[in-house]
Amino acid sequence: MSYDTEKGMIQLDRSKTHCPLNPALGEIRESLIAPGEAVKLSIFIDQSTCEIFINQGEKVLTANYYPVENQRELVVEGTKNIHITYYSLEK
């Protein structure tokens, strides 16, 4: 996932997943918001779906994926201050 603050573009790229679903339909989901706007993301990930709610659901990105066993890593990088709260959901 990436966020270009100058363009206001949020992208979810699943092109490097282990099992691409249907590359013909596109592997990148994207949404535009006001450039430079502060963004609140709520990210929900389960066994096969990633949903990203942007600014309390003003916009939503959804993607299916199928990770390989023990693939449980989420990487967040940025050049701005980032605050993250992580919640582990119980089964």
Side-chain angles (χ1 to χ4, degrees):
M1 191 182 102
S2 65
Y3 172 42
D4 183 328
T5 57
E6 291 180 12
K7 295 179 182 175
M9 176 68 71
I10 297 176
Q11 289 188 331
L12 176 60
D13 182 352
R14 62 181 189 175
S15 64
K16 293 180 177 51
T17 59
H18 182 68
C19 298
L21 292 176
N22 192 344
L25 294 177
E27 296 296 331
I28 296 175
R29 305 292 181 258
E30 56 188 23
S31 185
L32 282 172
I33 61 169
E37 177 180 314
V39 177
K40 179 178 181 181
L41 302 176
S42 298
I43 303 171
F44 297 89
I45 301 171
D46 68 10
Q47 297 296 324
S48 64
T49 304
C50 176
E51 292 194 288
I52 301 171
F53 293 85
I54 304 165
N55 294 334
Q56 308 290 63
E58 180 180 301
K59 305 239 176 143
V60 179
L61 297 174
T62 301
N64 291 93
Y65 67 98
Y66 296 97
V68 294
E69 188 175 338
N70 296 322
Q71 186 180 18
R72 299 178 185 271
E73 187 175 279
L74 174 65
V75 177
V76 179
E77 297 177 322
T79 58
K80 305 283 184 182
N81 289 332
I82 300 172
H83 172 79
I84 297 174
T85 304
Y86 171 82
Y87 301 96
S88 180
L89 303 177
E90 303 212 9
K91 292 181 178 184

